[in-house]
Amino acid sequence: MDLFIQQEMLSLIDMSIKIGKVLFKNPIITASGTFGYGTEVSSLVNVSKFGGIVTKSITLNPREGNPPPRIVETPSGMLNSIGLANIGVDQYISKKIPLYSTIGTNIIMNIAGTTVNEYIEIIKKVESVSSNIVGYEINISCPNVKRGGMEFGIDCDLTEKLTESLRKITERLLIVKLSPNVTNIASIAQSAEKAGADAVSAINTVVGMSIDIHKQKSKVYTKLSGLSGPAIRPIGIASVHKIFQAIDIPIIGIGGITCGNDVLEYILAGASAVQVGTSNYRDPGIALSMIEEIKLYGEKYIISSISDIVGVVSSNTK
Amino acid sequence: MDLFIQQEMLSLIDMSIKIGKVLFKNPIITASGTFGYGTEVSSLVNVSKFGGIVTKSITLNPREGNPPPRIVETPSGMLNSIGLANIGVDQYISKKIPLYSTIGTNIIMNIAGTTVNEYIEIIKKVESVSSNIVGYEINISCPNVKRGGMEFGIDCDLTEKLTESLRKITERLLIVKLSPNVTNIASIAQSAEKAGADAVSAINTVVGMSIDIHKQKSKVYTKLSGLSGPAIRPIGIASVHKIFQAIDIPIIGIGGITCGNDVLEYILAGASAVQVGTSNYRDPGIALSMIEEIKLYGEKYIISSISDIVGVVSSNTK
Amino acid sequence: MKTEDVIIINNNEIASEIWEMEFLAPKISSNYKGAGQFIQIQLDPGWGNPLRRPMSIASCRDSKISIIYKIFGQGTKILSQKISGDVLNVLGPLGNSFQYKKNNLNILVGGGVGLAPIINLWKELDELRDNSYLIIGAKTKNEHIHSHNPDEHIYLTTDDGSMGLPGTVMEALKVVYENVKSSEVFACGPEPMLKQIQSFVIKNNIPAQLSVESYMGCGVGICQGCIISRRNYKNKNHSYHKKYSLVCVDGPIYSAGDVIFD
Amino acid sequence: MKTEDVIIINNNEIASEIWEMEFLAPKISSNYKGAGQFIQIQLDPGWGNPLRRPMSIASCRDSKISIIYKIFGQGTKILSQKISGDVLNVLGPLGNSFQYKKNNLNILVGGGVGLAPIINLWKELDELRDNSYLIIGAKTKNEHIHSHNPDEHIYLTTDDGSMGLPGTVMEALKVVYENVKSSEVFACGPEPMLKQIQSFVIKNNIPAQLSVESYMGCGVGICQGCIISRRNYKNKNHSYHKKYSLVCVDGPIYSAGDVIFD
Ligand SMILES: Cc1cc2nc3c(=O)[nH]c(=O)nc-3n(C[C@H](O)[C@H](O)[C@H](O)COP(=O)(O)OP(=O)(O)OC[C@H]3O[C@@H](n4cnc5c(N)ncnc54)[C@H](O)[C@@H]3O)c2cc1C
Ligand SMILES: Cc1cc2nc3c(=O)[nH]c(=O)nc-3n(C[C@H](O)[C@H](O)[C@H](O)COP(=O)(O)OP(=O)(O)OC[C@H]3O[C@@H](n4cnc5c(N)ncnc54)[C@H](O)[C@@H]3O)c2cc1C
Ligand SMILES: Cc1cc2nc3c(=O)[nH]c(=O)nc-3n(C[C@H](O)[C@H](O)[C@H](O)COP(=O)(O)O)c2cc1C
Ligand SMILES: Cc1cc2nc3c(=O)[nH]c(=O)nc-3n(C[C@H](O)[C@H](O)[C@H](O)COP(=O)(O)O)c2cc1C
Ligand code: FES
Ligand code: FES
């Protein structure tokens, strides 16, 4: 009780947010594939301070991922083609889930598949064991696997069917992660909402390519790869703005977030929470400083709850 | 004759390229909207050295464009929402076309409209006067006008119909400029090719947004605007790579080009020529240094003609 | 107008958060036309910040140019970290300049970093000092680099009254204006200040030239990014639409009656 | 492993295009485990280059760490422009380290900028100098920072024969190896050199540890970007797939037999 009052006094702004039935202590979550399984850097960073952690995409079977080179820096960004390297759902259940019981923050499990059945099987396996995972983020938008989720992410009907099927088998949070590589991201978001998703997250990486002119070949092994980092922030913010006008469920904003200012841009555009990706590579503790920066903003403009400013720029008519 | 030999010796690599029936002295062209009408900075830059100049989008009637602020810097890029400010086709014909008779480089006129008829009327007006314009770039992809070309750029059938109609009324170069804000840019390119376009150019700006968190409003007047500059280079190169596999007519690569290395990345990905946009704002003469850098590359790797390396990275299977 | 690699001679903090940088720029200074013109500074060779930063010329003499700048964001931070001997790539001189008449009384008003072109004009008016008045406003005395000296026609104001006249430049302007006839006002500063000056001069029917700011892309008229709204369209070379004017080529100096602040 | 703002003490060109930088890093050096470990340097506070640059630790003593680096691209160019007193943000120490046996004869081979960890190991082996041999290769003598001195067990090679033994490090390795028994090789350098050393040690059945490079994202095992192909999978904490290994956490030092160069 004492502790609660003390926290109240330190941070005037209520940083907590709710997605579905789940409470997040603050809106800052680490993005899938950019914070491993959440436990790798716990000696370096107090991960319990994050609003949540989205773990690396898990597939039905383990995947070794794409051959090297897998990443390259680009202006204010990077390209990656990891190819969903992961330990597979069975090892995730046996080796990682037990670690989450004491992690002190919300764990969201990101899953990827090539067929509706694969997604179903993964979730069924996880639902069959006891865990404190708060929900699933459905990756329908990874551009780096040849036969991959990408087909779902560009098609409204497929997105709807997939979401519907998964909604039937879990009561946990269901977050559909959207691809920016489409003509109309808002309509895909609408399909996810219609099918019962609790939230959508946007954006995954943007398809990109970079060439070594001396070797005359692509700088990453697969030619096409995914662009992330500050370079894509304006694209992510525009996506959230467009989605905000189309749906009523919460949006989790992703793309190029480096500081509290960037988080606030997303929130003002319509995001209820955000995910931090590439910036973790510069500093795995970078998200923690964002929390402090947002508190200062809240104090300066006398905002009592972070939820109060969600979408204020996008709902203005001008 | 002497002069010809001398040039041969200085630059071992043949820099000229052909699009349709038109010869360009080198593959470096300035992008629409980023070099005005081509005459503004002639005191600063010897524009006759460019492969060509694409002039600012011209509409049927003069347009004042969008209210300020129209631009803002973003990480390695910028957002713009000029809103097709231009003098309209009649003044273009009376005031600008006469200036091109002595400009010493290929002028491509970029045109934009909201209906097929508007595009037709513009071209008919220009065709009815004598000019040394070598062709038209059809802007079907400007994201900053409310009722604008954008509807064409995201739809294969509309692109085909528009291109077909324009093909009937001009023998000059017809270049269709593609939007990256689509699920499948290659299929739009195929529609343009099918309808008789001489070339496609890609990419126009990517839809983006940036918010002033203190004023709680968009940093540019229109909320959505167009992202350009080095940040989008990987997106442009990926687009050219995908289009190269889908069509046989030449591709003009655009997006984030800052130096000879960047030009070569586009060429290796499948571009026969390139356009330089945002970089002109840093230095209106920047394209000239690219020409020299490409010559050095040609000498180093003993390339006899720039056309020899078009698409070599994209046509490799690996 | 030219791009030139200029060599920094000095770069010092001259008041709280306000810096002055001087550099050798023979090419640019040989094309210089007068106070009011500006330059576009490239921040670094990398492309993290693609756009140059516009800065008014604060002085131009003997191949040397100086600027006075305030640290706003990353770009001006980078500038403040440069040291003498460092090289910057600069484009300029750009834009038009203040046009004054010898027989008028000239009242110069500068606020915040709007200081630079006003100080420059003040130097230009050297021989006309008897007919010229300088008014400079700041929030507090730490931001002032001059002394309040009405005998020399220099009036400082501070919002907090810590130096010179308390209040904004408007107070000083009213005082000075009451004593003079046939005068012209030259002003540069933040938009709220320019707006007030605009109403004042229009109400009193005094001619005035305002130096306005706008977000700049190219600085040379090829991007159409830097517009402001205007009245009284006169056909200018670059601003080929009635409603708007390109600040970089047709400005940054406008007749007060021509500018509409949105 | 920690992030730390380190203060640069020295930053000098010690051979043609090869620089040495020394800085104060009490936190990082207190966690240092041995030669072979590396750090990740943040280029600047801006985000033009989002990724840090990996550099091997060339020495670690009295809270001071040094690196030896070659100018490749923009990032290393930026590093070379830093001066003493400047601050860099550094993450480290990262990765594993060379493991040597006291009773072996240790042959150290460094090529190009692979120099840094090898020089570091050489210093670590100080008391075992009688049993240690150092071989360093470069294209030409301008790139060498040591003297050829077989009496002290230091063998330099140059491609152009301008210093030490003519040819690559392989020539020197063969010469040295012929004179010794029960030896172990420690090598760092460009991939072609490592490949040749790998064939040599496998053919001669000598144990060897190679320090390999790879494009790094995070440096701490959370991006899966830095993989190399490997043989002989042993379950490591981070590299949870048989075919690949994460260089940043399970490397950069590998047993020669475990690495597959693609
Ligand atoms: C003609 C003109 C003359 C100027 N003269 C001076 C001067 O003498 N002294 C001075 O201190 N400032 C002057 N400015 C303002 C100065 O250009 C900005 O303060 C500077 O660009 C801020 O850059 P930043 O990277 O530090 O800030 P950022 O973090 O990039 O932005 C902070 C603010 O600066 C402004 N800004 C940023 N980039 C530009 C740009 N390319 N063009 C215009 N505004 C921009 C924006 O309004 C933004 O809100 C002038 C501006 C103009 C247009
Ligand atoms: C474990 C490790 C230890 C290293 N130790 C040293 C050392 O002691 N001395 C030294 O000179 N160099 C060392 N390197 C190489 C050094 O990291 C690169 O030369 C440097 O990152 C180049 O950066 P740049 O910006 O100058 O070049 P860029 O223009 O960015 O690229 C030039 C080349 O450098 C490489 N490179 C660029 N960024 C990275 C990155 N984030 N990770 C890996 N490679 C990259 C790429 O292969 C690229 O082709 C080491 C690399 C690794 C992985
Ligand atoms: C190296 C890397 C690996 C990624 N792996 C995944 C993944 O496995 N699943 C997923 O849904 N998104 C993955 N992403 C996408 C991020 O979660 C995020 O959507 C994207 O990087 C944009 O955010 P950022 O700009 O903050 O990085 C990955 C991104 C990077 C850079
Ligand atoms: C300020 C600005 C104005 C532009 N105006 C036009 C235009 O009128 N018509 C058009 O087709 N493209 C226009 N473009 C898009 C460019 O031609 C180019 O496609 C885009 O900027 C990407 O290239 P870049 O990254 O080199 O700038 C404009 C771009 C900018 C930055
Ligand atoms: S800044 Fe580009 S037109 Fe004025
Ligand atoms: S560099 Fe990120 S996992 Fe190794």
Side-chain angles (χ1 to χ4, degrees):
Chain A
M1 185 60 197
D2 258 10
L3 220 134
F4 179 69
I5 290 168
Q6 202 190 340
Q7 196 188 318
E8 273 287 68
M9 282 166 53
L10 283 174
S11 82
L12 293 165
I13 179 169
D14 177 4
M15 292 282 279
S16 69
I17 56 130
K18 233 176 162 180
I19 299 177
K21 295 188 198 95
V22 178
L23 190 75
F24 291 75
K25 67 184 88 170
N26 65 58
I28 305 192
I29 303 168
T30 59
S32 180
T34 68
F35 213 72
Y37 294 117
T39 52
E40 287 86 342
V41 291
S42 45
S43 69
L44 192 62
V45 182
N46 183 352
V47 299
S48 77
K49 296 219 169 167
F50 294 145
I53 293 172
V54 183
T55 57
K56 176 118 198 79
S57 279
I58 294 291
T59 51
L60 192 54
N61 298 308
R63 285 176 60 95
E64 63 207 13
N66 292 330
R70 287 180 171 181
I71 57 175
V72 67
E73 196 183 65
T74 65
S76 293
M78 67 177 281
L79 289 166
N80 91 79
S81 179
I82 307 298
L84 298 181
N86 80 94
I87 53 178
V89 64
D90 293 335
Q91 285 192 63
Y92 184 80
I93 290 172
S94 63
K95 291 191 185 155
K96 301 299 171 189
I97 285 184
L99 303 175
Y100 299 146
S101 61
T102 55
I103 200 159
T105 186
N106 290 341
I107 297 288
I108 296 167
M109 177 187 178
N110 180 297
I111 64 176
T114 52
T115 62
V116 174
N117 270 340
E118 272 181 35
Y119 285 96
I120 292 180
E121 259 192 86
I122 296 168
I123 293 194
K124 279 196 175 157
K125 284 191 180 216
V126 180
E127 290 286 311
S128 73
V129 301
S130 98
S131 80
N132 64 343
I133 287 173
V134 302
Y136 306 97
E137 183 178 57
I138 312 305
N139 180 357
I140 55 167
S141 50
C142 180
N144 307 323
V145 277
K146 280 217 178 89
R147 292 203 58 256
M150 196 62 173
E151 290 107 46
F152 295 105
I154 62 172
D155 185 298
C156 288
D157 290 343
L158 285 178
T159 302
E160 196 176 323
K161 257 179 227 148
L162 175 64
T163 311
E164 232 164 44
S165 318
L166 302 182
R167 182 71 293 170
K168 286 189 195 127
I169 57 171
T170 182
E171 307 240 292
R172 287 194 167 90
L173 275 191
L174 207 53
I175 302 164
V176 177
K177 182 165 182 182
L178 306 175
S179 167
N181 306 299
V182 295
T183 307
N184 189 345
I185 196 170
S187 65
I188 314 265
Q190 284 172 325
S191 304
E193 178 181 42
K194 199 168 145 197
D198 296 295
V200 297
S201 52
I203 54 177
N204 209 318
T205 54
V206 182
V207 175
M209 181 172 179
S210 177
I211 289 172
D212 183 324
I213 65 166
H214 301 290
K215 298 185 184 156
Q216 297 204 342
K217 63 181 199 184
S218 169
K219 283 191 180 169
V220 296
Y221 181 86
T222 59
K223 287 177 180 170
L224 297 177
S225 49
L227 183 63
S228 65
I232 68 165
R233 188 165 63 236
I235 305 174
I237 294 172
S239 302
V240 168
H241 169 78
K242 288 188 280 186
I243 297 167
F244 185 77
Q245 268 134 357
I247 64 173
D248 292 319
I249 55 175
I251 305 163
I252 303 174
I254 321 173
I257 293 173
T258 66
C259 62
N261 182 100
D262 301 345
V263 173
L264 288 160
E265 285 196 53
Y266 271 97
I267 290 175
L268 293 167
S272 298
V274 299
Q275 290 176 20
V276 177
T278 300
S279 297
N280 293 315
Y281 300 156
R282 175 178 285 196
D283 182 353
I286 203 163
L288 298 181
S289 53
M290 300 179 191
I291 299 171
E292 299 314 309
E293 286 160 30
I294 295 171
K295 284 183 185 164
L296 289 178
Y297 180 86
E299 277 172 38
K300 183 166 172 195
Y301 294 103
I302 318 171
I303 296 161
S304 59
S305 164
I306 197 76
S307 330
D308 294 350
I309 57 168
V310 171
V312 301
V313 170
S314 293
S315 44
N316 289 348
T317 47
K318 192 190 132 174
Chain B
M1 186 59 197
D2 259 8
L3 220 133
F4 178 69
I5 290 169
Q6 203 189 337
Q7 196 188 320
E8 274 286 69
M9 282 165 52
L10 283 175
S11 82
L12 292 165
I13 181 170
D14 178 3
M15 292 281 280
S16 69
I17 56 129
K18 233 177 162 178
I19 298 177
K21 295 188 196 95
V22 179
L23 191 76
F24 291 74
K25 66 183 89 167
N26 65 59
I28 306 194
I29 301 168
T30 58
S32 181
T34 68
F35 212 73
Y37 295 117
T39 52
E40 287 86 342
V41 291
S42 45
S43 69
L44 192 62
V45 182
N46 183 352
V47 298
S48 76
K49 296 220 168 166
F50 294 145
I53 293 172
V54 183
T55 57
K56 175 119 199 80
S57 278
I58 293 292
T59 51
L60 192 55
N61 298 308
R63 283 177 60 96
E64 63 206 14
N66 292 330
R70 287 181 171 181
I71 58 174
V72 68
E73 196 183 63
T74 66
S76 294
M78 66 178 281
L79 289 166
N80 91 77
S81 178
I82 307 298
L84 297 181
N86 79 95
I87 54 178
V89 63
D90 292 336
Q91 284 192 65
Y92 185 80
I93 289 172
S94 63
K95 291 190 184 155
K96 300 299 171 188
I97 284 184
L99 303 175
Y100 299 147
S101 62
T102 56
I103 200 160
T105 186
N106 290 342
I107 297 288
I108 296 168
M109 177 188 179
N110 180 297
I111 63 176
T114 50
T115 62
V116 175
N117 270 341
E118 272 181 36
Y119 284 97
I120 292 178
E121 259 194 86
I122 296 168
I123 293 193
K124 279 196 173 156
K125 284 191 180 215
V126 180
E127 291 285 311
S128 74
V129 301
S130 97
S131 80
N132 63 345
I133 286 172
V134 303
Y136 306 98
E137 183 177 57
I138 312 305
N139 181 358
I140 55 167
S141 50
C142 181
N144 307 323
V145 278
K146 280 222 177 83
R147 294 203 57 259
M150 197 61 174
E151 290 107 46
F152 295 105
I154 62 170
D155 185 300
C156 287
D157 291 344
L158 286 178
T159 302
E160 196 177 325
K161 256 178 226 149
L162 174 64
T163 311
E164 230 164 45
S165 318
L166 303 182
R167 181 72 293 170
K168 287 190 192 125
I169 57 171
T170 181
E171 308 240 291
R172 286 194 168 90
L173 275 190
L174 208 53
I175 301 165
V176 177
K177 183 166 182 181
L178 305 176
S179 168
N181 306 300
V182 296
T183 308
N184 189 347
I185 196 170
S187 66
I188 314 267
Q190 284 172 324
S191 302
E193 178 181 42
K194 198 167 149 201
D198 295 296
V200 297
S201 52
I203 54 175
N204 209 318
T205 53
V206 182
V207 174
M209 181 171 179
S210 179
I211 290 172
D212 185 323
I213 65 166
H214 302 290
K215 298 184 184 154
Q216 298 203 343
K217 63 181 200 184
S218 169
K219 283 192 179 168
V220 297
Y221 181 85
T222 59
K223 285 179 180 168
L224 297 177
S225 49
L227 182 64
S228 65
I232 68 165
R233 188 165 65 236
I235 305 174
I237 294 172
S239 302
V240 168
H241 169 79
K242 288 188 279 187
I243 298 167
F244 184 75
Q245 268 135 358
I247 65 172
D248 292 319
I249 54 174
I251 305 164
I252 303 174
I254 321 174
I257 293 173
T258 66
C259 62
N261 183 99
D262 302 345
V263 173
L264 288 160
E265 286 196 54
Y266 271 97
I267 291 175
L268 292 167
S272 298
V274 298
Q275 291 176 22
V276 176
T278 301
S279 297
N280 293 315
Y281 301 156
R282 175 178 285 196
D283 182 353
I286 202 162
L288 299 181
S289 53
M290 300 179 193
I291 300 172
E292 299 314 309
E293 285 159 28
I294 295 171
K295 284 183 185 165
L296 289 178
Y297 180 85
E299 277 172 38
K300 183 167 171 192
Y301 295 103
I302 318 171
I303 296 160
S304 58
S305 164
I306 197 76
S307 330
D308 293 350
I309 57 167
V310 170
V312 301
V313 170
S314 293
S315 44
N316 288 347
T317 47
K318 193 192 131 170
Chain C
M1 107 194 104
K2 298 267 176 263
T3 60
E4 183 172 7
D5 282 327
V6 308
I7 300 167
I8 297 173
I9 307 169
N10 291 303
N11 191 24
N12 301 312
E13 189 167 9
I14 55 174
S16 165
E17 294 274 278
I18 299 186
W19 289 66
E20 181 172 43
M21 182 190 281
E22 191 182 27
F23 41 77
L24 260 182
K27 276 210 252 168
I28 293 173
S29 40
S30 72
N31 288 299
Y32 172 72
K33 291 197 209 74
Q37 285 200 291
F38 68 101
I39 54 176
Q40 285 261 83
I41 305 180
Q42 182 176 311
L43 292 179
D44 63 65
W47 285 85
N49 297 98
L51 299 181
R52 290 169 183 263
R53 295 296 188 268
M55 289 290 160
S56 297
I57 295 174
S59 74
C60 174
R61 227 179 359 177
D62 307 336
S63 300
K64 285 180 230 159
I65 285 178
S66 74
I67 57 171
I68 298 172
Y69 62 99
K70 192 181 161 90
I71 298 183
F72 266 111
Q74 210 194 325
T76 41
K77 183 83 187 283
I78 291 174
L79 287 185
S80 72
Q81 288 163 345
K82 299 285 174 188
I83 56 172
S84 117
D86 283 352
V87 171
L88 285 174
N89 187 278
V90 173
L91 173 69
L94 304 169
N96 62 0
S97 55
F98 290 114
Q99 302 298 325
Y100 55 88
K101 299 198 194 70
K102 295 223 164 164
N103 305 331
N104 269 9
L105 285 173
N106 298 309
I107 309 179
L108 282 54
V109 187
V113 287
L115 202 68
I118 291 299
I119 296 295
N120 196 1
L121 181 61
W122 182 246
K123 288 177 201 142
E124 220 173 278
L125 292 173
D126 201 24
E127 354 136 22
L128 305 176
R129 273 295 150 81
D130 287 349
N131 290 337
S132 308
Y133 295 81
L134 178 65
I135 301 171
I136 299 176
K139 286 204 199 81
T140 174
K141 71 171 179 207
N142 300 341
E143 296 172 3
H144 270 306
I145 55 176
H146 294 80
S147 312
H148 184 61
N149 193 343
D151 293 345
E152 299 268 297
H153 292 192
I154 299 178
Y155 297 80
L156 303 193
T157 69
T158 47
D159 294 357
D160 65 1
S162 56
M163 194 186 215
L165 310 175
T168 72
V169 294
M170 293 312 294
E171 270 65 51
L173 178 56
K174 282 168 200 158
V175 170
V176 172
Y177 176 67
E178 252 153 46
N179 296 319
V180 293
K181 295 256 157 61
S182 159
S183 63
E184 179 151 14
V185 173
F186 301 84
C188 183
E191 203 173 291
M193 175 191 123
L194 293 183
K195 265 188 193 167
Q196 289 185 47
I197 292 186
Q198 188 188 42
S199 335
F200 181 80
V201 297
I202 289 175
K203 205 176 67 191
N204 292 287
N205 207 14
I206 330 169
Q209 292 170 36
L210 308 181
S211 173
V212 307
E213 280 195 14
S214 143
Y215 209 101
M216 298 251 159
C218 64
V220 297
I222 56 177
C223 79
Q224 300 277 320
C226 62
I227 53 150
I228 51 148
S229 303
R230 72 151 152 224
R231 290 193 198 82
N232 307 329
Y233 174 68
K234 280 166 249 119
N235 198 345
K236 295 266 179 88
N237 216 353
H238 297 280
S239 303
Y240 39 75
H241 23 63
K242 288 207 170 93
K243 196 168 164 187
Y244 300 123
S245 176
L246 290 187
V247 174
C248 70
V249 279
D250 293 336
I253 315 298
Y254 292 87
S255 190
D258 292 355
V259 179
I260 302 173
F261 293 107
D262 301 271
Chain D
M1 106 193 107
K2 297 266 176 264
T3 59
E4 182 172 9
D5 282 329
V6 308
I7 301 166
I8 297 173
I9 308 169
N10 290 303
N11 190 23
N12 301 311
E13 190 168 7
I14 54 172
S16 164
E17 294 272 279
I18 298 186
W19 290 65
E20 182 172 42
M21 181 190 281
E22 193 181 25
F23 40 76
L24 260 182
K27 276 209 252 169
I28 292 173
S29 39
S30 72
N31 289 298
Y32 172 72
K33 290 196 210 74
Q37 285 201 292
F38 68 101
I39 53 175
Q40 286 261 83
I41 306 179
Q42 182 176 312
L43 292 178
D44 64 65
W47 285 86
N49 297 97
L51 299 182
R52 290 170 183 263
R53 296 295 189 267
M55 289 291 161
S56 297
I57 295 175
S59 73
C60 175
R61 227 180 358 178
D62 306 338
S63 300
K64 284 181 230 158
I65 284 177
S66 74
I67 58 170
I68 298 172
Y69 62 99
K70 193 181 161 88
I71 300 183
F72 266 111
Q74 210 194 323
T76 41
K77 183 85 187 282
I78 290 174
L79 287 185
S80 72
Q81 288 164 345
K82 300 286 174 186
I83 56 171
S84 116
D86 283 352
V87 171
L88 285 174
N89 188 279
V90 172
L91 174 69
L94 304 169
N96 63 0
S97 56
F98 290 114
Q99 302 298 325
Y100 55 89
K101 299 197 194 72
K102 294 220 165 168
N103 306 329
N104 268 9
L105 285 173
N106 298 309
I107 309 179
L108 281 55
V109 188
V113 287
L115 204 64
I118 291 298
I119 295 296
N120 196 1
L121 180 61
W122 182 244
K123 288 175 201 144
E124 220 171 280
L125 291 174
D126 201 23
E127 354 136 22
L128 306 175
R129 271 298 148 79
D130 288 347
N131 291 335
S132 307
Y133 294 82
L134 179 64
I135 301 171
I136 298 176
K139 286 206 196 81
T140 174
K141 71 170 179 210
N142 300 341
E143 295 172 2
H144 270 304
I145 55 175
H146 294 81
S147 311
H148 184 61
N149 193 343
D151 293 344
E152 299 266 299
H153 293 190
I154 299 178
Y155 297 80
L156 303 192
T157 69
T158 47
D159 295 357
D160 66 0
S162 56
M163 194 184 213
L165 309 174
T168 71
V169 292
M170 292 314 293
E171 269 66 52
L173 178 56
K174 282 168 202 159
V175 170
V176 172
Y177 176 67
E178 253 152 46
N179 295 320
V180 293
K181 296 253 158 63
S182 160
S183 64
E184 179 151 13
V185 172
F186 301 84
C188 183
E191 203 172 291
M193 177 191 121
L194 293 183
K195 266 187 193 167
Q196 288 185 46
I197 292 185
Q198 190 187 40
S199 334
F200 180 81
V201 298
I202 289 175
K203 206 175 66 190
N204 291 287
N205 206 14
I206 331 170
Q209 292 171 36
L210 308 181
S211 172
V212 307
E213 280 194 13
S214 143
Y215 209 102
M216 297 249 160
C218 63
V220 297
I222 55 177
C223 77
Q224 300 278 319
C226 62
I227 54 149
I228 51 147
S229 303
R230 73 153 150 221
R231 288 193 199 83
N232 307 329
Y233 173 69
K234 278 166 252 121
N235 199 346
K236 295 266 180 86
N237 216 351
H238 297 280
S239 304
Y240 38 76
H241 22 62
K242 288 207 171 94
K243 196 168 166 187
Y244 300 124
S245 175
L246 291 187
V247 174
C248 69
V249 277
D250 293 336
I253 315 297
Y254 291 88
S255 189
D258 292 356
V259 179
I260 302 174
F261 294 107
D262 301 272

